[in-house]
């Protein structure tokens, strides 16, 4: 299983995303995104398991995903 950091636009959206994922049985943790040339600075939701499902749930609920860092996950 992979680990991923799903990048969103603000800490507020990261907290809302974490809460939505928890309601769907997926544990997530708000984290500051490491500064890179691609991401700049921002926040994301670290998802230790089920990152693909988490990203799908967020997109279905109209969250704007700016990117994803980490390992790919088929769960």
């Amino acid at each position: 299983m992979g680990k991923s950091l799903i990048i969103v636009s603000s800490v507020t959206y990261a907290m809302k995303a974490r809460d939505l994922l928890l309601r769907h049985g997926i544990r997530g943790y708000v984290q500051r995104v490491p500064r890179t040339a691609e991401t700049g600075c921002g926040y994301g939701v670290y998802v230790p398991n089920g990152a693909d499902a988490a990203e799908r749930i967020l997109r279905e609920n109209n969250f704007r995903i700016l990117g994803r860092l980490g390992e790919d996950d088929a769960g």
Side-chain angles (χ1 to χ4, degrees):
M1 292 199 170
K3 300 174 183 174
S4 268
L5 183 64
I6 300 170
I7 304 167
V8 294
S9 58
S10 71
V11 68
T12 302
Y13 278 108
M15 290 187 293
K16 288 180 180 184
R18 176 200 60 202
D19 295 345
L20 174 66
L21 293 174
L22 189 57
R23 288 194 301 271
H24 283 86
I26 299 173
R27 190 171 306 273
Y29 305 91
V30 174
Q31 288 191 347
R32 186 134 174 94
V33 175
R35 180 181 285 269
T36 66
E38 293 82 32
T39 62
C41 51
Y43 285 85
V45 180
Y46 169 69
V47 181
N49 297 303
D52 288 340
E55 186 173 343
R56 179 182 46 76
I57 289 166
L58 294 176
R59 289 187 188 278
E60 287 173 356
N61 285 276
N62 300 315
F63 278 79
R64 186 168 155 237
I65 307 296
L66 301 179
R68 192 160 130 183
L69 299 174
E71 302 172 17
D72 287 334
D73 182 8

